[in-house]
Amino acid sequence: ILDTFIKGMREFFVENEDAPELLDIPRYSISHVALRFLIARKWDYDFAMDNIRTYCRIIRNIGKPNIHELETYFRTGTTWVHPEHLDKNGRLIQFVFPGKLTSGLKSNVDYRIAATFYVYNEGFANHPEALANGITCIIDLKNVPMNMEKGAKKFVNALQDTYPARMGRVYVLNTPWFFKFVYKIFKVFMKKKLRDRIRVLDSYDNLLKYFEPHQIPPELGRSSCNITNLIQLGGTYQFNIDDWVDEKLIS
């Protein structure tokens, strides 16, 4: 099926000359890109090919994720995927802190989608073995604004129907009093399989049930845990968003 799918991709490229660039070919080989879409869509040829069409359409609309354009966004510390860590199921670990966004960036859903796609691309480039397992997302809603639902439909659809990866689990922390009302809006756009994978945790410490201590950054309440035990269990979290951005800017 891989060879047949690659042939189908090449036929698609004839009518869509910008598609290889939108799909980051030749940075990634056509085989690598084909595998990403096939694995994400459980080797369903038609589903995966439709996914490529949708992905290219979205990237044309929002612009290809570019570190130079997204630098300001990333330096807020709003989202990242650790370049080294995978969770216990072999998934990428994405951290999201929407409460850190500045007022101008909060309203730009295209920025949020582009930034998310960028960190996923970089994560899977570092860990191609995670393609079969997908992504685990940890969302901390501390200081999130009440209008967090703005652009919800476009953002949710981009994640569940556009990006070629499986969302294995979503953990939500520090929910504000209005979360249950806003979540009702988000749920309207979510497929059942995504809704079933969301877990709302009542404390930061509960993350230790699912992650190794060294995989939890200080932003997620490490100071509220027993630091001595954390060091014994796994050491400290090693990642600096500014260093990561600087590295990407010169790479």
Side-chain angles (χ1 to χ4, degrees):
I1 187 173
L2 177 60
D3 290 341
T4 303
F5 191 76
I6 290 175
K7 181 180 178 180
M9 289 177 64
R10 294 190 187 282
E11 293 173 355
F12 175 69
F13 294 166
V14 172
E15 298 180 357
N16 299 268
E17 295 181 358
D18 62 341
E21 175 66 18
L22 298 175
L23 293 167
D24 260 346
I25 300 171
R27 180 190 180 191
Y28 306 111
S29 69
I30 190 171
S31 297
H32 173 91
V33 174
L35 279 171
R36 285 177 62 183
F37 282 89
L38 283 170
I39 291 172
R41 303 313 170 201
K42 298 182 178 180
W43 298 90
D44 184 317
Y45 179 99
D46 293 331
F47 191 7
M49 190 58 69
D50 285 342
N51 194 175
I52 282 183
R53 297 188 186 97
T54 302
Y55 182 88
C56 288
R57 185 169 61 250
I58 289 290
I59 297 301
R60 287 192 193 102
N61 181 36
I62 69 174
K64 185 178 175 182
N66 182 298
I67 187 62
H68 296 279
E69 295 180 2
L70 296 169
E71 176 184 359
T72 301
Y73 186 98
F74 283 131
R75 289 197 189 278
T76 64
T78 301
T79 188
W80 72 86
V81 168
H82 198 288
E84 298 178 6
H85 295 166
L86 298 177
D87 73 2
K88 296 176 181 179
N89 295 299
R91 303 184 187 117
L92 297 182
I93 307 173
Q94 180 194 16
F95 299 96
V96 184
F97 298 87
K100 291 185 176 184
L101 286 175
T102 62
S103 58
L105 293 174
K106 287 176 184 175
S107 61
N108 194 328
V109 66
D110 288 349
Y111 250 59
R112 288 152 55 193
I113 294 172
T116 300
F117 282 12
Y118 185 90
V119 296
Y120 289 171
N121 288 342
E122 294 300 310
F124 285 120
N126 289 328
H127 293 284
E129 71 275 16
L131 285 170
N133 304 314
I135 302 159
T136 291
C137 183
I138 302 174
I139 305 174
D140 186 341
L141 295 181
K142 182 179 180 180
N143 298 325
V144 77
M146 290 187 66
N147 65 343
M148 62 181 288
E149 81 283 357
K150 192 170 185 179
K153 181 178 181 180
K154 186 174 184 179
F155 187 76
V156 170
N157 286 341
L159 295 188
Q160 67 182 359
D161 292 327
T162 303
Y163 193 83
R166 302 173 187 173
M167 186 59 70
R169 187 73 73 192
V170 179
Y171 297 101
V172 183
L173 295 154
N174 207 23
T175 56
W177 63 268
F178 54 85
F179 173 75
K180 63 180 180 180
F181 303 106
V182 175
Y183 185 51
K184 288 181 180 179
I185 298 174
F186 276 87
K187 286 177 67 174
V188 172
F189 312 119
M190 291 181 187
K191 294 180 177 179
K192 183 179 184 301
K193 63 181 180 180
L194 178 57
R195 294 198 304 268
D196 291 345
R197 293 170 183 173
I198 294 175
R199 300 288 184 272
V200 178
L201 304 181
D202 58 8
S203 75
Y204 292 112
D205 293 358
N206 283 336
L207 281 175
L208 293 175
K209 297 177 182 178
Y210 309 102
F211 301 93
E212 299 297 336
H214 67 277
Q215 295 177 327
I216 303 174
E219 292 93 330
L220 287 173
R222 287 287 293 271
S223 61
S224 68
C225 304
N226 185 315
I227 297 300
T228 300
N229 287 342
L230 288 175
I231 292 174
Q232 291 173 349
L233 288 168
T236 58
Y237 187 89
Q238 300 293 327
F239 182 75
N240 182 286
I241 189 66
D242 287 316
D243 290 345
W244 178 82
V245 172
D246 291 340
E247 177 185 334
K248 297 303 174 184
L249 285 170
I250 63 176
S251 62

